[in-house]
Amino acid sequence: VLANTNHGNPTKTLGLSHFLRGYTWEDVPGYDDENTTKWTPQGITTSADALDVGVYQTKKVILIDWYNSGGQGLGRNALLVEPYTDSSGNPNFKAVKVHGGGIMWYGNLLYVVDTNNGIRVFDLNHIYKVTVGDAIGRQSSTDYEAYNYLYVVPQTLSYKASTLASPMRWSFIALDRTTTPDSIVVGEYAADNTVPAPRLVRFSIDYTTRLLFTTNGVATATWAYQVDILRMQGALSINGTFYISRSNGASTNGDLFTWIPGNTATKYTGALEIGCEDLTYNRNADELWTLSEHAGKRYFYALKATAF
């Protein structure tokens, strides 16, 4: 798939403090990622999450997920799908219809948050080429289609959220390689003063299996904190310091917070582009990556993390 990319991303210089590099989206006749209102970019992860060396199959890679407002599911040049056995006993698949506010790539696995349900996991060792056509799923014994996409990535497992008195909203996810063992941070978006306040939660992850540590099939959080920051769109942790993105609507730059638990957070007003979203970190280059979602103002870019 990496050898068969079919769209370009022009470079983009942004007037942000500690800006390192950035890109925008294709805007050409018949294909307009920059301005389309049918799809919206949300989550970001890189090959530095996948493997600590930062390179995957000899390439430095950035993965970004998009959700479809028309309900066709999640994906862009490869569609994420959920396999099932249909009523005739045939293998089939359907589109994954989630918001996909955050993604995390770890080894061969892609973790995608599912807002009301937990986390879905997809195996990038199993990417399948399908027939290009308008339909979804099995059309015949030799013909599978995926809304005109050439590739599908089937879901391999999921982590179902436990029932809580105040259910968790699974809005974003990021990898932390600076803990022992490695861990993930997940968190929730809240637009107003909800009760409880939005939370950040940490789970340990096993680098040998690429799966969360479990006991009797249950992954238990190792840390959780109520964070009094509204409109969080992404969060990650580097050596105990949290970096948090906050959006401020469709016309105002987003804010970046740094925070060490037990201390007051530091706010960098307007440090991020309008419509900021998920965060990820490449420690090989000290790059804090994020992206912006609004049509006509879509970029993905890196800032120098330790400058904040």
Side-chain angles (χ1 to χ4, degrees):
V1 176
L2 295 179
N4 194 27
T5 55
N6 60 343
H7 298 289
N9 293 97
T11 58
K12 179 70 176 181
T13 300
L14 302 171
L16 300 173
S17 297
H18 314 303
F19 175 82
L20 294 176
R21 56 191 175 114
Y23 304 89
T24 186
W25 296 94
E26 213 169 38
D27 178 7
V28 297
Y31 201 94
D32 187 3
D33 277 348
E34 172 63 20
N35 299 292
T36 180
T37 56
K38 294 181 180 179
W39 293 88
T40 305
Q42 291 292 294
I44 187 168
T45 185
T46 76
S47 50
D49 285 336
L51 299 172
D52 198 20
V53 294
V55 177
Y56 190 86
Q57 296 181 359
T58 74
K59 298 180 184 296
K60 294 180 179 179
V61 183
I62 300 170
L63 297 184
I64 293 173
D65 76 311
W66 299 58
Y67 78 90
N68 179 278
S69 58
Q72 285 188 348
L74 177 69
R76 192 54 179 171
N77 295 322
L79 192 73
L80 301 185
V81 298
E82 183 177 352
Y84 70 99
T85 301
D86 65 23
S87 59
S88 299
N90 297 311
N92 209 334
F93 60 75
K94 57 187 176 181
V96 173
K97 297 181 179 180
V98 299
H99 186 74
I103 58 176
M104 187 277 292
W105 184 7
Y106 194 53
N108 60 303
L109 299 182
L110 181 67
Y111 284 64
V112 179
V113 289
D114 182 347
T115 308
N116 297 314
N117 296 298
I119 303 172
R120 296 177 184 244
V121 183
F122 301 80
D123 190 342
L124 299 182
N125 285 342
H126 296 279
I127 299 177
Y128 296 102
K129 194 173 184 178
V130 295
T131 303
V132 175
D134 293 336
I136 184 69
R138 187 179 192 272
Q139 307 304 306
S140 71
S141 60
T142 59
D143 182 16
Y144 287 79
E145 298 180 5
Y147 294 141
N148 285 309
Y149 292 99
L150 185 59
Y151 298 101
V152 297
V153 187
Q155 179 176 312
T156 188
L157 61 92
S158 65
Y159 295 97
K160 177 69 174 176
S162 299
T163 301
L164 301 173
S166 298
M168 177 80 176
R169 183 181 175 90
W170 302 76
S171 301
F172 47 83
I173 184 172
L175 177 67
D176 186 354
R177 289 189 183 275
T178 66
T179 57
T180 303
D182 292 348
S183 61
I184 63 169
V185 173
V186 297
E188 55 187 342
Y189 172 90
D192 51 29
N193 291 307
T194 58
V195 177
R199 292 159 285 191
L200 297 177
V201 181
R202 187 187 296 275
F203 295 87
S204 293
I205 194 167
D206 187 346
Y207 79 94
T208 63
T209 65
R210 306 297 184 181
L211 300 174
L212 299 183
F213 281 102
T214 61
T215 300
N216 298 323
V218 177
T220 301
T222 60
W223 174 92
Y225 211 105
Q226 289 184 339
V227 183
D228 191 19
I229 298 176
L230 297 180
R231 304 185 304 281
M232 290 192 299
Q233 298 283 2
L236 55 79
S237 175
I238 307 169
N239 294 315
T241 297
F242 284 83
Y243 293 73
I244 299 169
S245 61
R246 179 172 77 177
S247 61
N248 293 312
S251 59
T252 303
N253 272 34
D255 303 323
L256 180 68
F257 292 82
T258 58
W259 170 61
I260 298 173
N263 296 277
T264 301
T266 299
K267 176 185 174 184
Y268 297 90
T269 302
L272 304 177
E273 281 294 323
I274 295 169
C276 61
E277 286 290 327
D278 198 20
L279 296 172
T280 190
Y281 180 61
N282 176 1
R283 68 177 180 178
N284 299 294
D286 192 30
E287 293 175 336
L288 180 68
W289 282 92
T290 187
L291 71 161
S292 49
E293 69 170 346
H294 296 302
K297 307 171 186 176
R298 287 184 179 140
Y299 321 110
F300 56 104
Y301 55 94
L303 307 178
K304 187 172 180 61
T306 55
F308 292 97

